[in-house]
Amino acid sequence: MLKIYNTLSGKKEIFKPIEEGKVGMYVCGNTVYDFCHIGHARAMISFDIISRFIRHLGYELNYVRNITDVDDKIIKRAEENNESTQSLTERMIAAQRKDELRLGNKMPDREPKATEFMQEIIDMIQILIDKGFAYQGVSGDVYYRTTKFEGYGKLNNRKLDDMLAGARIDVEVAKEHPADFVLWKQTKVGEVSWSSPWGEGRPGWHIECSAMSTNCLGSHFDIHGGGPDLKFPHHENEIAQSEAATGKDYVNYWMHCGAVRVNNEKMSKSLGNFFTVRDVLAKFNPEVVRYLMVSSQYRSAIDYSDQSLTEAKVALERLYTALRQQPVAASFSPTAFTERFEEAMKDDFNTAVAVSVLFELVRELNKAKVDDADKALLLAAELRSLAELLGLLYQDPEYFLQNSTISEGLDDTAIQALIDERTQVRKDKNFARSDEIRDELARQGIELLDSREGTSWTRS
């Protein structure tokens, strides 16, 4: 049975879908005003793997991940760039999808944009006002009345007044309570806006997700996920809005992935340790980045550094080396490796243990390659099949081993030309030149591997 750690209860629970055989999952996506950073990559990859395994278990999954395309940050960045908000968001959405495809992600079933659900957002705000859960302040902005909702704070297991201590909350005269948050805000002249019963304006961030999730998946659905920084206030506010508006429980299982730290420090532009996905992929093969994210269980924090990526590269090379020159089998019968892999994944998607099973399988595969070619063929197929659930080992082994590090030195054509020359001079018994070529390639980070089939190479 699949077990999921539920942030709401603070413990692992046996997963029971609302509708047998079907799962609805909503994940908070990005506010598209800038390029994706490695923290975004962690959430993207985590929930991609979760969606893959849920489908592997036979569930019919509806995976929805929103795009926040109207927000104060978007408006500010568009003004700085002297471009329209639509131009900025479209450009950032295209960049995000490119990053995701390079990282090996599959796209969600649906990616609703906030601007596409404006009427639904306005309708939900009106319901909250009618029920007494929201009010229009003297500023014209509409606020959620947190003191009206008895369950406020249940996701974080804290009382309302306790959550205020030390929290950054804007105190406005228009608010009835410091914790009340905006549902609809008045806009300045020239800013993007929509007509509403409360004047020209735009929605607050929290109400966008409540409207999109309930319209895409229903008032009550199975799983809601996101990054660790969203538990409060965003997800707490989502619960308050949604349950007050619908009168139903909002979500059964809340899932939050761990943070990405850089050299054991919080990632921050002010600290100079902020890295976009495209920055990282300029130095490392995308699958190396994915392996780093997969090698820890999704709730664990990850420490990002060049060293950790180098270690991930070496580990992934071990997996690919085992598949080198191994033909692809049409089918295979799962062994105990598959059983242990699935047990790990059923235990709250424990990819760390699942990856360790892959290395156990590799050790058995390497033994079989020596004296049992048929067994090796089947084990290699099993390795590929299990790794696919993690989004790994999708590249040709030779290609990956030659491109696991982005090199500014010799290109593939130049390397092959030197290898061909070395093959010829060895035939001519000019071993001095052969050694010169090997040494020259080694200085460029190219390691040669001689075998009966010929000479192959990897970047070291």
Side-chain angles (χ1 to χ4, degrees):
M1 292 182 291
L2 175 63
K3 293 182 180 179
I4 295 177
Y5 181 87
N6 190 350
T7 307
L8 186 62
S9 65
K11 61 184 180 181
K12 290 181 187 177
E13 299 176 6
I14 295 173
F15 178 67
K16 296 179 181 178
I18 296 169
E19 184 178 353
E20 186 175 354
K22 296 184 178 181
V23 178
M25 181 171 75
Y26 182 90
V27 175
C28 284
N30 295 337
T31 301
V32 285
Y33 72 100
D34 205 345
F35 296 112
C36 296
H37 56 66
I38 56 175
H40 294 142
R42 177 73 193 283
M44 292 172 177
I45 292 171
S46 294
F47 287 100
D48 175 63
I49 291 169
I50 288 167
S51 68
R52 288 174 189 240
F53 192 70
I54 287 175
R55 289 193 170 103
H56 174 72
L57 293 178
Y59 290 106
E60 181 184 331
L61 173 66
N62 187 4
Y63 174 19
V64 179
R65 188 186 64 196
N66 79 293
I67 294 173
T68 298
D69 61 342
V70 55
D71 182 84
D72 290 346
K73 293 178 181 178
I74 293 172
I75 293 170
K76 181 181 179 182
R77 182 60 55 84
E79 290 176 350
E80 292 171 352
N81 294 350
N82 195 27
E83 65 178 323
S84 68
T85 56
Q86 183 177 357
S87 171
L88 172 63
T89 57
E90 287 179 353
R91 194 159 52 82
M92 292 300 104
I93 290 169
Q96 173 182 307
R97 287 175 177 161
K98 182 179 180 180
D99 287 342
E100 280 208 82
L101 290 173
R102 293 185 68 191
L103 290 169
N105 276 2
K106 297 180 179 180
M107 292 297 101
D109 298 297
R110 188 172 179 183
E111 282 190 294
K113 299 177 184 176
T115 55
E116 298 170 342
F117 283 77
M118 205 53 61
Q119 188 57 53
E120 290 82 356
I121 291 170
I122 291 171
D123 291 344
M124 181 172 273
I125 295 173
Q126 188 62 61
I127 291 171
L128 292 171
I129 290 175
D130 294 343
K131 288 187 171 185
F133 285 95
Y135 60 94
Q136 188 170 19
V138 294
S139 64
D141 294 345
V142 179
Y143 295 95
Y144 184 89
R145 186 175 277 122
T146 52
T147 54
K148 173 79 172 177
F149 186 69
E150 293 183 3
Y152 194 80
K154 62 183 177 180
L155 181 65
N156 292 269
N157 195 29
R158 297 170 68 186
K159 294 180 180 179
L160 178 59
D161 291 339
D162 293 339
M163 285 188 287
L164 291 177
R168 287 187 60 185
I169 296 178
D170 295 330
V171 178
E172 299 176 15
V173 176
K175 292 182 179 182
E176 294 178 355
H177 189 278
D180 292 351
F181 54 89
V182 69
L183 300 174
W184 189 264
K185 58 176 64 180
Q186 303 296 309
T187 51
K188 299 176 183 177
V189 176
E191 290 183 345
V192 60
S193 64
W194 288 261
S195 297
S196 80
W198 319 286
E200 289 289 315
R202 63 178 181 273
W205 174 36
H206 312 302
I207 194 67
E208 294 175 356
C209 279
S210 286
M212 285 186 282
S213 62
T214 55
N215 275 275
C216 291
L217 295 173
S219 300
H220 181 206
F221 56 93
D222 298 291
I223 298 172
H224 194 313
D229 56 329
L230 299 181
K231 285 188 287 186
F232 181 80
H234 185 53
H235 288 163
E236 197 71 68
N237 292 348
E238 271 193 69
I239 292 174
Q241 296 163 157
S242 304
E243 296 190 356
T246 67
K248 300 177 181 179
D249 288 339
Y250 181 37
V251 173
N252 283 359
Y253 302 87
W254 285 87
M255 303 179 69
H256 295 90
C257 61
V260 175
R261 300 178 68 82
V262 179
N263 294 318
N264 291 313
E265 289 186 314
K266 182 178 179 181
M267 187 175 66
S268 168
K269 286 185 177 180
S270 63
L271 294 176
N273 62 359
F274 182 89
F275 299 95
T276 66
V277 171
R278 55 182 50 205
D279 289 336
V280 179
L281 298 190
K283 297 174 62 177
F284 289 90
N285 186 293
E287 195 173 349
V288 171
V289 179
R290 187 179 185 92
Y291 180 89
L292 175 64
M293 303 296 179
V294 169
S295 60
S296 297
Q297 200 260 4
Y298 77 94
R299 286 191 291 116
S300 302
I302 286 180
D303 187 44
Y304 168 89
S305 64
D306 278 359
Q307 179 180 347
S308 63
L309 278 171
T310 300
E311 291 169 355
K313 179 180 78 75
V314 172
L316 195 52
E317 286 173 343
R318 284 180 56 197
L319 296 178
Y320 268 113
T321 299
L323 292 176
R324 202 171 207 166
Q325 298 175 347
Q326 282 295 122
V328 179
S331 62
F332 69 95
S333 297
T335 69
F337 293 114
T338 293
E339 182 179 352
R340 293 208 300 277
F341 180 97
E342 290 183 340
E343 285 178 358
M345 292 297 288
K346 287 177 182 177
D347 184 15
D348 194 31
F349 309 97
N350 197 331
T351 55
V353 175
V355 166
S356 71
V357 173
L358 297 186
F359 281 100
E360 292 176 22
L361 201 164
V362 161
R363 285 193 289 272
E364 191 70 17
L365 169 58
N366 287 334
K367 292 178 185 177
K369 286 164 71 173
V370 176
D371 52 21
D372 193 339
D374 291 339
K375 181 180 179 181
L377 180 68
L378 297 177
L379 289 173
E382 187 171 15
L383 175 60
R384 288 187 176 97
S385 177
L386 296 180
E388 196 277 332
L389 293 173
L390 304 179
L392 297 174
L393 303 186
Y394 56 86
Q395 301 182 63
D396 175 75
E398 286 294 340
Y399 176 84
F400 174 81
L401 291 168
Q402 294 170 6
N403 295 278
S404 58
T405 301
I406 308 302
S407 175
E408 297 179 356
L410 296 174
D411 61 21
D412 293 3
T413 302
I415 294 168
Q416 191 58 52
L418 286 170
I419 290 174
D420 291 343
E421 180 187 352
R422 179 173 175 270
T423 299
Q424 184 59 50
V425 297
R426 291 179 73 185
K427 289 180 181 178
D428 299 338
K429 300 188 184 302
N430 185 353
F431 298 113
R433 175 56 183 158
S434 173
D435 290 343
E436 286 177 1
I437 293 173
R438 176 184 285 275
D439 293 343
E440 180 181 348
L441 289 171
R443 286 192 294 272
Q444 296 282 344
I446 308 302
E447 179 182 355
L448 300 184
L449 303 170
D450 294 318
S451 67
R452 287 176 294 182
E453 290 78 17
T455 301
S456 57
W457 59 274
T458 61
R459 295 189 189 274
S460 62

